[in-house]
Amino acid sequence: MWTATARGEDGQATVELVALLPALVAIALLGWQALVAGEAWWLAGAAARDAARAQALGTDPASAARSVLPEGLRSGLRVSDADPGVVVRVQIPAVFAGLRFGSVTARASMERQS
């Protein structure tokens, strides 16, 4: 059986893969950043619920919110009173250093406990 191969196409797939690697890395980093942002959003909600519970019990809502968050999210934590409840703001950590992605905010409230 006779097979024909085009001359000059040896290594073409390798060249194309090398050309696509930066795009594949960028897509992977964006996906990872989306996961980190989602985790920050999820944990901000948990921190807001704990802060609202602490406020309802008459204790410090900021320390309650801080206790829920992992170390990497604590530095950007802001807890403020809202009527009713509390608002928790958490900075979204950047996967790639030097970039800022803003913050996520969660609000929660509970009735005051006697």
Side-chain angles (χ1 to χ4, degrees), residues 28-100:
L29 285 174
L30 286 174
W32 187 257
Q33 184 64 58
L35 287 173
V36 169
E39 181 185 28
W41 174 74
W42 182 269
L43 289 171
R49 286 187 296 276
D50 270 22
R53 186 177 304 114
Q55 184 185 51
L57 294 173
T59 60
D60 183 28
S63 65
R66 191 172 295 107
S67 70
V68 173
L69 297 175
E71 189 67 35
L73 293 178
R74 290 180 188 168
S75 64
L77 174 67
R78 302 286 179 264
V79 178
S80 56
D81 288 333
D83 191 23
V86 295
V87 174
V88 172
R89 179 171 299 207
V90 175
Q91 293 292 322
I92 299 172
V95 170
F96 193 72
L99 298 177
R100 291 194 56 153

